[in-house]
Amino acid sequence: MVSKNQIKLINSLQQKKYRKLHNLFIAEGKKVIQELIDAKFNLEHLFVTKENLFDTKHQPVLIADADLKKITALTAANDCLAVFKTKEITFKESSGLELALDDIKDPGNMGTIIRLCDWFGISRIVCTEESVDIYNPKVVQATMGSLARVEVVYTDLTSYIKNANTEVFGTFMEGENIYKQTLPTSGIIVMGNEANGISRDIEKLVTQKISIPRFGTLQQTESLNVATATAIILSEFKRN
Amino acid sequence: MVSKNQIKLINSLQQKKYRKLHNLFIAEGKKVIQELIDAKFNLEHLFVTKENLFDTKHQPVLIADADLKKITALTAANDCLAVFKTKEITFKESSGLELALDDIKDPGNMGTIIRLCDWFGISRIVCTEESVDIYNPKVVQATMGSLARVEVVYTDLTSYIKNANTEVFGTFMEGENIYKQTLPTSGIIVMGNEANGISRDIEKLVTQKISIPRFGTLQQTESLNVATATAIILSEFKRN
């Protein structure tokens, strides 16, 4: 059984301001929830529509499908939903490559980028305050548990980069062919906003402009989506 | 003004069987529509909620926002919607690299993959009949016009690959590190279904198993999403 107050609370967590207020976020589906549990996120509530999805020590509460529908953030509800405490970010020294996100707005892109960082062993993502919140339900679903393994920091990106005192890479149309560069094992790689790319202020801090060459023969080929561009760039940095 | 019959027809085009029946599909947003016009797709209807979005020779019909809401396939309607004739696929000889999709189901993935092929100059995608339809409204939106520049063929993929008589690449956990391969400029690259990967029948036809190495230090890193894996693989084939 889900109480009226719980329904109200859980629905409110679809909005960033309530996630911040309560320090809570929701995750859905056995796989994502289990990975967050394994990564020591604190579980506050666990609702299931089937028995035996989780170890009883997590105290799953069996509810009706109709109740899950009332609290899901998905178009089609899964068979379980959990409420977790958000984690305090430990702003520790990082070494090696970091990814900087200059106003990524699309939750699917953010989720895909976090998964890519997990795959390629990039342990920290630094975002502008305006970037989409990692605890947005769509981001949580798209990360498939990688959320638990990549540190994501929201801060004043301009100051962060200035203070980092390292090489800063950014993709620009006129940048150098990335396939022909010798890429270092440390530095900051900046990825820009979906519509506007890298902002002017951040562009000034970029020490090396790079580009992914286009092979299509035709004139109007669209730019690459930011998540697929990130995939190609991280692959290039890591392949050697 | 949109007539009741037009509304009924256009809404029906959200389903594959009606797209097949009428040989029509819908596209929304100025950019996508203009690219499809430029690529000589035949325009059947063009509805706009603002003047001057398109050249008058395309005979845009001005309608109310409320009417556009009745025909849009998007959650938030844009300011224009067009109905186009689907194109007969000319099953001509291909040279160079081709991409084979073994049951890609997610429209976003299909759209991203078509964009990637456009970027990397892969002129043909061959799909199983069960793969998501390229004229699905979500695919059309995600391709951002690349639909006009990449040939997509639905066929019996097993027979197609058997008859192609060329090298066939597929990604598998146990495959050879893609970064250490000398990759050819022709052949077929197979990408598998989101949940199940490459099917057994197709796996038997793969002549070279490849893999994208994982750099994350932790145990449970998820597999890469099929669209991001495609990005990395096409980049590797084309970079030399």
Side-chain angles (χ1 to χ4, degrees):
Chain A
M1 172 76 201
V2 196
S3 73
K4 277 204 172 167
N5 277 336
Q6 285 175 326
I7 294 174
K8 203 175 153 190
L9 170 71
I10 293 169
N11 285 329
S12 81
L13 298 178
Q14 295 193 30
Q15 289 177 61
K16 183 175 171 182
K17 67 174 176 181
Y18 293 107
R19 291 193 295 270
K20 287 232 157 184
L21 182 66
H22 300 294
N23 293 315
L24 296 174
F25 70 101
I26 57 176
E28 304 189 52
K30 180 169 165 46
K31 185 161 193 174
V32 177
I33 293 173
Q34 189 62 54
E35 288 206 22
L36 293 169
I37 291 172
D38 293 345
K40 315 275 187 246
F41 275 86
N42 284 328
L43 187 60
E44 295 279 310
H45 301 287
L46 177 56
F47 299 104
V48 295
T49 58
K50 288 181 198 149
E51 306 265 14
N52 302 322
L53 284 176
F54 295 93
D55 193 316
T56 52
K57 76 180 175 201
H58 301 306
Q59 305 179 319
V61 176
L62 192 65
I63 63 171
D65 288 333
D67 281 337
L68 188 62
K69 269 196 183 167
K70 290 179 191 158
I71 55 175
T72 183
L74 305 175
T75 317
N78 216 303
D79 51 14
C80 49
L81 182 149
V83 179
F84 287 97
K85 271 234 175 284
T86 56
K87 266 196 180 178
E88 279 293 308
I89 298 299
T90 49
F91 205 89
K92 58 182 183 295
E93 275 301 301
S94 151
S95 61
L97 288 171
E98 295 185 3
L99 198 65
L101 303 182
D102 190 6
D103 289 8
I104 296 296
K105 297 290 190 191
D106 180 81
N109 285 338
M110 178 63 93
T112 304
I113 289 170
I114 294 172
R115 267 176 89 177
L116 280 165
C117 286
D118 188 17
W119 184 271
F120 284 112
I122 308 290
S123 56
R124 181 185 288 171
I125 299 174
V126 187
C127 309
T128 55
E129 301 280 6
E130 290 71 32
S131 302
V132 59
D133 179 28
I134 53 163
Y135 294 117
N136 175 309
K138 287 183 189 164
V139 177
V140 174
Q141 293 314 116
T143 54
M144 304 286 283
S146 294
L147 190 59
R149 292 182 293 270
V150 180
E151 183 189 6
V152 184
V153 180
Y154 291 82
T155 187
D156 175 345
L157 192 56
T158 310
S159 305
Y160 182 89
I161 292 176
K162 274 184 186 159
N163 293 330
N165 195 22
T166 183
E167 274 195 272
V168 182
F169 296 84
T171 39
F172 293 88
M173 294 283 279
E174 74 277 17
E176 302 277 345
N177 181 341
I178 190 170
Y179 301 134
K180 297 188 172 164
Q181 305 304 302
T182 307
L183 299 167
T185 55
S186 68
I188 295 174
I189 303 164
V190 186
M191 301 302 298
N193 171 268
E194 288 87 348
N196 307 315
I198 294 172
S199 63
R200 285 296 166 106
D201 284 354
I202 302 287
E203 179 174 354
K204 287 179 197 152
L205 304 174
V206 169
T207 56
Q208 197 172 336
K209 293 189 178 183
I210 52 178
S211 71
I212 301 169
R214 165 190 319 210
F215 294 86
T217 48
L218 285 156
Q219 60 298 350
Q220 287 162 313
T221 317
E222 258 301 316
S223 64
L224 288 171
N225 161 288
V226 65
T228 51
T230 304
I232 293 164
I233 290 168
L234 292 184
S235 174
E236 278 301 310
F237 269 87
K238 286 290 187 170
R239 74 190 298 284
N240 293 315
Chain B
M1 169 78 201
V2 197
S3 72
K4 277 204 172 164
N5 276 335
Q6 285 174 327
I7 294 174
K8 203 174 152 191
L9 170 70
I10 293 168
N11 285 330
S12 80
L13 298 178
Q14 295 193 29
Q15 290 176 60
K16 183 175 170 181
K17 66 175 176 180
Y18 292 107
R19 291 194 295 271
K20 288 233 157 183
L21 182 67
H22 300 295
N23 293 314
L24 296 174
F25 71 101
I26 58 176
E28 303 189 53
K30 181 169 164 48
K31 186 160 193 176
V32 177
I33 293 172
Q34 189 61 56
E35 288 207 23
L36 292 169
I37 291 172
D38 293 345
K40 315 278 186 243
F41 276 86
N42 284 328
L43 187 59
E44 295 279 312
H45 302 287
L46 177 57
F47 299 103
V48 295
T49 58
K50 288 180 199 150
E51 306 265 13
N52 302 324
L53 285 176
F54 295 93
D55 193 315
T56 52
K57 76 180 175 199
H58 301 306
Q59 304 179 321
V61 176
L62 192 65
I63 63 172
D65 287 335
D67 281 336
L68 187 62
K69 269 196 184 165
K70 291 179 191 159
I71 55 175
T72 184
L74 305 175
T75 318
N78 216 303
D79 51 15
C80 49
L81 182 149
V83 179
F84 288 97
K85 272 235 174 283
T86 57
K87 265 197 181 179
E88 279 292 308
I89 298 299
T90 49
F91 205 90
K92 58 183 182 292
E93 274 302 301
S94 152
S95 62
L97 288 171
E98 295 184 5
L99 198 65
L101 304 181
D102 189 7
D103 289 8
I104 296 297
K105 297 290 190 192
D106 179 81
N109 285 338
M110 178 64 92
T112 304
I113 290 171
I114 294 171
R115 267 175 89 177
L116 280 165
C117 285
D118 188 16
W119 184 272
F120 284 112
I122 308 291
S123 56
R124 181 186 289 170
I125 299 175
V126 187
C127 309
T128 56
E129 300 280 5
E130 291 71 31
S131 302
V132 60
D133 179 27
I134 53 163
Y135 294 117
N136 175 310
K138 288 183 188 162
V139 177
V140 174
Q141 293 315 116
T143 55
M144 304 285 284
S146 293
L147 190 59
R149 293 181 294 270
V150 179
E151 183 189 5
V152 184
V153 180
Y154 291 83
T155 188
D156 175 345
L157 192 55
T158 310
S159 304
Y160 183 88
I161 293 176
K162 274 185 185 160
N163 293 330
N165 195 23
T166 183
E167 275 196 272
V168 182
F169 296 83
T171 38
F172 293 88
M173 295 283 279
E174 74 277 18
E176 301 277 346
N177 180 341
I178 190 170
Y179 300 132
K180 297 189 172 163
Q181 306 304 303
T182 308
L183 299 167
T185 55
S186 68
I188 295 174
I189 303 164
V190 186
M191 301 304 297
N193 170 268
E194 287 87 349
N196 306 315
I198 295 173
S199 62
R200 286 296 165 107
D201 283 353
I202 302 287
E203 180 175 354
K204 288 179 197 153
L205 304 174
V206 169
T207 57
Q208 197 174 336
K209 292 189 178 184
I210 51 178
S211 72
I212 302 169
R214 164 187 323 209
F215 295 86
T217 48
L218 285 155
Q219 61 297 354
Q220 287 163 313
T221 317
E222 257 301 314
S223 65
L224 287 170
N225 162 288
V226 65
T228 52
T230 303
I232 294 164
I233 290 168
L234 292 184
S235 175
E236 278 300 311
F237 269 87
K238 286 290 186 170
R239 74 191 297 285
N240 294 316

